[in-house]
Amino acid sequence: MTPKLNRRQAMETAAAAAGAVAVAVQTPDAEAGGRVELGRYAHRDGVRGRMTGAQAAAAAIRCEGTPCVFGIPGAQNNELWDAFKAYEVPYMLVAHEFSASIMADASARATGRPGVFSVVPGPGLTNCLTGLGEALYDGIPVVAVVTDIDRSANAPVGQVHGLMNEALLRPVVKALFVVRHQAEIPGTLFHAFRLAQAGEPGPVGVVIPYPFFADVWDYDQAPPPPMPVPFDETAYQRVVCHLQDKRKRIGIYAGLGCVEAGPALTAVAEMLQAPVATSVSGKGVIADAHPLAVGWGYGKQGTRAAEKAFKDVDVVLAVGVRYSEVSTANYAIPDIEVVHVDVNPNNMGKNVPTSHSLVSDSRVFLDRLLGDAATLRRPADPGLWSRIDRHRQVDRCIARTQQVTQCVDPMFFLSQLRCSLGPEELIFVDVTASTHWASETIEVQGTRRYFTPSDNQSMGWAIPAAIGAQRVRPDRRVVCVTGDGCFLMSAMEMSTAARLGLPVKFFVFDDGAYHYMQMLQEPVFRRTTATEIARVDYAAFAAGLGVGYNQIASNADVVPGLQRSFGLAGPILTHVIVSYDGREIRWLNALRTKYIGDLSNREKIRLAARVGVRAVTPRDDSD
């Protein structure tokens, strides 16, 4: 009679059997003449040798120098995660797949290398769609390794996680590849990495049915070279001829597309004596300390310095930037001639008319301009530098003046946060009412230091993003500023920081409401709806997760409170009690003005009637 085994004994027996199989499946070692374990022929310059599909995938990802793979292992991709360990691919378990895609996004923003995450199909995939959408809209290179169910002709019906995974993934990625045979795995991954970075960067999905992870193949796959960079010489010459007109004053509007071209951008600005404004995601492409840097935006939504400097501009040279809804406050763009240079032809002439356009990588274009300096250079303009400096000092003075007194003034806090950090620290800001103050106030001296979800506006993004960035940049201090509403969406991910001892400093602005929505609702409806949120005991929450706790409740305690947060080891949750009453948000004012201006006369009458009626017959039904 066969003795019964308990669960642990059964697992140990299965493990021993698997080990015996691993020893039996061997391949000759041509150099040593001996025998090696399956899959050990993996090289930095490619994937070669006889190995499983999972091992080939792990070897390809390792070849790309991926700093970390984020995700949660599951039934369909356990083979792959075991291969990550065998091939020493750095990986990190997250608390929710929502965070896996966001951490991969943040890894790419912080390092310049494509971020990678791995999830199971079905709920694993659907949970990560928000982060993929943010990466797509913001132009961030990410490789999503999504396992699929068995899709073969004889596959059983009703497999777990059997949603239409390809159809779910396709709308939120730049490109999608579906592996049809295990032989395709490394080549497909290599191509996904190249495509994620080519042209306008973005996320690329790779779908691999799980049976291929266990199938064995003889691989010989080297990484392909980078994809070619487009450049239209005729269009470039037209742009140069236009910029040669010294009667026209030039201003530069630079975006995230210039992230690898900061030195060239700065040199071009000096050559043209052009003030430089950036988009929010482009902050840092020119150091804020540079005398030609005017902050973000160049309309009423951006810094005062940018708005005033660009009133004297005749031509805007827009480089590596999209005129998106958020960055322009609903397309509130000053009427200035635009010459647009961007690697994505779909960004040209859609939201703003252009006199000239050039499809080009920003670094290639800027380097070419510097090569034509003899015909483009303009004399130094100390008067311009002096005016910019005065305008920027006014902006800084306003930010550092305490205008909210009953508790913490968010803009004052942000200005002091910037002063408390070194020039290399990483700052992540969530989608809160304070987002636009942060864009005005937080100055950075280089790229890959300031991060926010610019175009998809994914609430709760900053907490997992900061954790992911800290994982791949342990050499930098990482700070996260989020709101109480965003906190409710992703706060449990702080357990990951606690588990791994990642010393992120989390600052939560608490006013008990979705105040951003209140600011949008109140002027139009004279009441708020569904904006008051649950009260949280932040001290108890921090204690429950094993995260350090701190509180800042007044302006007088801002500087000491920051010192306490940065003086404590490990991850720290700082509860900042704020009020938004008493501060102007320039972006919001520009948005309202543009919104009302775009209404038809009928719509304006309807809006005025509703506001008037509710003003004279107020009801206490805001919630």
Side-chain angles (χ1 to χ4, degrees):
M1 183 175 183
T2 304
K4 293 184 177 180
L5 301 178
N6 61 33
R7 185 170 180 271
R8 176 175 294 277
Q9 290 170 327
M11 292 176 66
E12 290 173 349
T13 301
V21 171
V23 171
V25 184
Q26 295 173 337
T27 183
D29 185 338
E31 296 181 66
R35 303 180 72 81
V36 297
E37 192 175 325
L38 178 69
R40 291 304 178 192
Y41 290 120
H43 302 271
R44 291 183 179 180
D45 59 347
V47 178
R48 297 185 178 89
R50 185 171 178 80
M51 60 184 77
T52 66
Q55 291 172 326
I61 292 171
R62 182 178 178 182
C63 283
E64 294 293 343
T66 299
C68 186
V69 177
F70 303 93
I72 302 176
Q76 289 94 349
N77 66 1
N78 273 327
E79 284 278 352
L80 179 60
W81 281 77
D82 184 73
F84 289 157
K85 179 173 286 187
Y87 281 80
E88 298 180 347
V89 176
Y91 59 82
M92 190 172 90
L93 171 66
V94 304
H96 196 285
E97 289 96 347
F98 166 80
S99 300
S101 54
I102 291 173
M103 289 181 181
D105 173 336
S107 173
R109 297 187 198 225
T111 67
R113 308 178 73 93
V116 182
F117 71 91
S118 171
V119 294
V120 295
L125 172 58
T126 57
N127 284 340
C128 74
L129 294 180
T130 295
L132 278 171
E134 192 66 60
L136 179 67
Y137 260 46
D138 284 5
I140 307 302
V142 169
V143 174
V145 182
V146 180
T147 312
D148 202 0
I149 63 171
D150 183 357
R151 299 287 182 182
S152 63
N154 298 321
V157 175
Q159 297 176 69
V160 66
H161 300 169
L163 296 175
M164 301 303 292
N165 295 297
E166 290 181 43
L168 287 167
L169 187 57
R170 197 174 299 278
V172 291
V173 293
K174 176 181 177 180
L176 176 63
F177 300 106
V178 181
V179 171
R180 304 298 184 189
H181 189 279
Q182 66 267 25
E184 301 173 1
I185 289 175
T188 302
L189 285 169
F190 285 144
H191 187 53
F193 275 88
R194 300 301 174 279
L195 189 57
Q197 294 178 291
E200 181 174 3
V204 175
V206 177
V207 175
I208 307 176
Y210 78 87
F212 296 155
F213 285 141
D215 291 339
V216 176
W217 192 255
D218 287 305
Y219 292 98
D220 187 3
Q221 182 72 58
M227 293 185 172
V229 177
F231 192 82
D232 185 337
E233 183 65 31
T234 301
Y236 170 75
Q237 292 301 331
R238 286 197 295 266
V239 169
V240 170
C241 288
H242 195 65
L243 298 180
Q244 285 175 351
D245 186 349
K246 305 256 188 337
R247 295 169 300 177
K248 294 185 176 182
R249 295 163 297 184
I250 300 172
I252 296 175
Y253 182 42
L256 185 62
C258 297
V259 69
E260 301 295 345
L265 174 71
T266 302
V268 167
E270 293 169 352
M271 178 181 73
L272 299 176
Q273 287 298 287
V276 182
T278 74
S279 66
V280 172
S281 56
K283 281 175 67 69
V285 295
I286 185 171
D288 274 306
H290 193 279
L292 290 171
V294 296
W296 90 274
Y298 63 88
K300 293 182 180 298
Q301 82 279 16
T303 62
R304 293 170 185 82
E307 182 186 11
K308 292 179 178 178
F310 273 67
K311 284 182 177 178
D312 296 328
V313 163
D314 300 306
V315 178
V316 174
L317 177 59
V319 186
V321 67
R322 289 179 293 185
Y323 284 86
S324 63
E325 179 180 355
V326 175
S327 66
T328 60
N330 194 28
Y331 313 108
I333 305 160
D335 187 15
I336 309 174
E337 181 189 357
V338 172
V339 174
H340 199 176
V341 179
D342 192 81
V343 76
N344 186 348
N346 294 324
N347 292 336
M348 303 296 192
K350 296 295 178 63
N351 298 334
V352 57
T354 59
S355 61
H356 294 80
S357 61
L358 168 65
V359 176
S360 171
D361 175 82
S362 298
R363 184 162 50 179
V364 172
F365 168 72
L366 293 167
D367 285 345
R368 283 294 303 274
L369 276 188
L370 291 173
D372 289 319
T375 60
L376 293 171
R377 188 176 302 281
R378 301 182 180 209
D381 187 352
L384 172 63
W385 305 347
S386 178
R387 290 193 299 274
I388 290 174
D389 182 62
R390 287 198 305 271
H391 296 327
R392 298 222 73 179
Q393 290 302 332
V394 169
D395 279 337
R396 292 171 184 131
C397 182
I398 291 172
R400 294 169 186 173
T401 301
Q402 299 173 17
Q403 297 184 12
V404 177
T405 57
Q406 60 269 39
C407 45
V408 175
D409 180 331
M411 200 170 192
F412 171 71
F413 174 90
L414 292 165
S415 71
Q416 298 307 305
L417 174 64
R418 174 66 273 172
C419 293
S420 300
L421 295 172
E424 302 296 320
E425 317 295 25
L426 311 186
I427 304 171
F428 288 80
V429 180
D430 223 321
V431 184
T432 77
S434 299
T435 298
H436 308 294
W437 285 329
S439 299
E440 290 183 54
T441 304
I442 295 177
E443 298 183 9
V444 291
Q445 306 309 322
T447 57
R448 306 195 187 282
R449 292 165 173 83
Y450 179 88
F451 313 92
T452 189
S454 300
D455 289 328
N456 204 38
Q457 294 275 280
S458 307
M459 293 180 65
W461 179 91
I463 291 175
I467 296 169
Q470 186 73 86
R471 172 64 177 80
V472 299
R473 292 306 307 264
D475 57 318
R476 300 284 184 89
R477 176 181 284 168
V478 177
V479 169
C480 168
V481 178
T482 188
D484 46 3
C486 294
F487 175 87
L488 294 177
M489 298 184 181
S490 58
M492 289 304 298
E493 202 60 59
M494 290 184 188
S495 64
T496 301
R499 186 183 82 244
L500 299 177
L502 298 174
V504 181
K505 310 307 178 188
F506 303 97
F507 297 93
V508 182
F509 285 2
D510 175 23
D511 79 320
Y514 288 126
H515 201 92
Y516 204 167
M517 287 304 100
Q518 290 183 339
M519 289 175 170
L520 294 174
Q521 291 178 4
E522 178 61 35
V524 178
F525 303 106
R526 281 295 185 265
R527 64 186 179 192
T528 62
T529 302
T531 60
E532 296 178 5
I533 62 178
R535 308 303 298 175
V536 175
D537 185 336
Y538 291 94
F541 180 88
L545 264 60
V547 173
Y549 177 73
N550 181 31
Q551 185 184 80
I552 302 175
S554 67
N555 289 326
D557 193 37
V558 166
V559 173
L562 288 168
Q563 293 172 343
R564 291 194 301 272
S565 293
F566 295 132
L568 296 170
I572 305 296
L573 169 60
T574 298
H575 177 208
V576 186
I577 302 174
V578 301
S579 172
Y580 296 101
D581 297 329
R583 274 281 188 186
E584 173 197 28
I585 298 182
R586 287 173 53 81
W587 184 91
L588 199 58
N589 289 345
L591 177 74
R592 288 171 180 156
T593 301
K594 182 65 165 55
Y595 169 76
I596 294 173
D598 287 347
L599 294 177
S600 66
N601 289 335
R602 182 184 296 273
E603 290 169 330
K604 289 177 182 176
I605 292 171
R606 178 175 175 271
L607 174 61
R610 180 172 63 196
V611 170
V613 168
R614 292 182 179 177
V616 299
T617 58
R619 296 175 56 185
D620 187 19
D621 61 350
S622 292
D623 66 346

